[in-house]
Amino acid sequence: MIKLGSVSVPGQDKNGDQKQNQDCTLEFYDGDLAIIVVCDGAGSKTFGGVGSDYLCRVLVRHLRIAKPSDYVIFEETIHRAIDRFRCVIKRLCRQKNLHVTLEDFASTLMICCRQIYSDRISNYCAHIGDGAIFYLDSTFESAEFVSLPENGEYANQTYFVTDKNWRDHLRIHSPPEGALNLILMTDGVTPMALKNNEPFFDFVRPLMLFLNNSSSAEGSHSLSKMLGSQKSMAISTDDKSVGWLIN
């Protein structure tokens, strides 16, 4: 049985007040196809949150239609979805005479897709920017595959789907079939979950065990409370989003 879920909580400003959440998460599961998307809208941009929300919906819609059966189809679908996102945003800015550009809708991208067949399982993931994706073994004690954050010249810089050279920073992978458990997280969570560019299992394993042993509602509620706690905000005041799939 698959457990699929996601949560997103807003960060805090310098006064300790809640910020407007620029992250967005979305998941889909129909028995044969499982999709999780986690996007982080740039807080420094006017419509980063709008961008992350629309990007999530465009990606899930394209993958639901394509139902990618191999790596090539997955790659082509991701490219088409991002092209569609960029085209619609540009057209909206022109038609509505908005005094903004595509770059004002900047968002990172993390997406994991699992296609389930009678005799095999296919895993695919795509990643632009910071945040991280972990594919874990059945005990949650080791990583089968990791996609690390990609930052720019400075630690607080990253890459977005709205960049002109976004294709240069799109990373697409096909993790091992046996990697049945996964977790995606934005950069508000990576300070807790990454250590020396490796999963920090003192954080990751208890979290995955809890989500595995909890109902969807209980797991989401408790994780949201933890990510929004003052202890968590003391580590990072960024918005915090997590998506997970546990087999």
Side-chain angles (χ1 to χ4, degrees):
M1 178 181 176
I2 283 180
K3 288 194 173 183
L4 183 72
S6 64
V7 299
S8 186
V9 301
Q12 292 181 351
D13 62 22
K14 61 183 179 181
N15 297 318
D17 297 324
Q18 183 173 293
K19 296 189 292 187
Q20 182 175 352
N21 194 355
Q22 307 295 323
D23 288 0
C24 187
T25 68
L26 188 61
E27 68 265 3
F28 170 79
Y29 178 58
D30 68 357
D32 297 320
L33 178 67
I35 305 167
I36 312 176
V37 191
V38 175
C39 295
D40 181 355
S44 60
K45 300 297 183 178
T46 309
F47 295 113
V50 176
S52 66
D53 178 83
Y54 182 54
L55 181 59
C56 280
R57 290 186 282 117
V58 169
L59 285 160
V60 170
R61 183 163 63 246
H62 276 70
L63 286 168
R64 286 182 64 180
I65 294 171
K67 289 185 175 291
S69 56
D70 59 38
Y71 177 92
V72 173
I73 296 175
F74 177 76
E75 181 179 38
E76 291 174 346
T77 303
I78 295 298
H79 278 262
R80 282 199 306 271
I82 296 175
D83 282 336
R84 175 65 176 173
F85 167 85
R86 291 169 58 89
C87 179
V88 169
I89 295 296
K90 287 179 180 179
R91 187 170 66 239
L92 176 68
C93 292
R94 288 195 306 268
Q95 291 178 345
K96 300 299 182 181
N97 293 317
L98 301 177
H99 299 292
V100 292
T101 65
L102 172 65
E103 287 71 24
D104 288 298
F105 295 82
S107 176
T108 66
L109 159 68
M110 288 174 289
I111 182 165
C112 294
C113 177
R114 173 169 298 166
Q115 186 72 51
I116 303 167
Y117 304 95
S118 59
D119 59 341
R120 64 186 175 93
I121 291 175
S122 295
N123 286 317
Y124 311 106
C125 68
H127 193 174
I128 294 179
D130 51 23
I133 304 172
F134 303 158
Y135 280 78
L136 307 171
D137 71 355
S138 59
T139 66
F140 313 124
E141 292 181 334
S142 66
E144 302 285 343
F145 174 82
V146 175
S147 185
L148 293 170
E150 184 184 16
N151 296 103
E153 183 179 355
Y154 301 101
N156 62 346
Q157 292 181 328
T158 191
Y159 302 99
F160 303 105
V161 297
T162 50
D163 294 343
K164 291 181 179 179
N165 62 341
W166 65 270
R167 295 178 191 274
D168 296 336
H169 299 283
L170 173 61
R171 294 168 280 159
I172 296 181
H173 304 281
S174 181
E177 287 187 20
L180 299 179
N181 306 294
L182 64 92
I183 182 169
L184 310 81
M185 68 203 71
T186 56
D187 66 332
V189 182
T190 51
M192 296 177 274
L194 269 177
K195 187 174 182 180
N196 299 323
N197 280 335
E198 293 183 356
F200 183 49
F201 285 102
D202 286 355
F203 174 85
V204 174
R205 186 169 188 269
L207 172 59
M208 295 297 281
L209 285 171
F210 173 76
L211 293 172
N212 188 37
N213 294 324
S214 304
S215 67
S216 177
E218 180 188 9
S220 297
H221 175 72
S222 297
L223 180 54
S224 294
K225 284 186 65 177
M226 186 274 283
L227 294 176
S229 68
Q230 289 305 309
K231 184 176 181 179
S232 174
M233 291 298 170
I235 298 172
S236 171
T237 57
D238 286 342
D239 303 332
K240 298 175 176 65
S241 297
V242 174
W244 64 91
L245 188 157
I246 300 174
N247 202 72

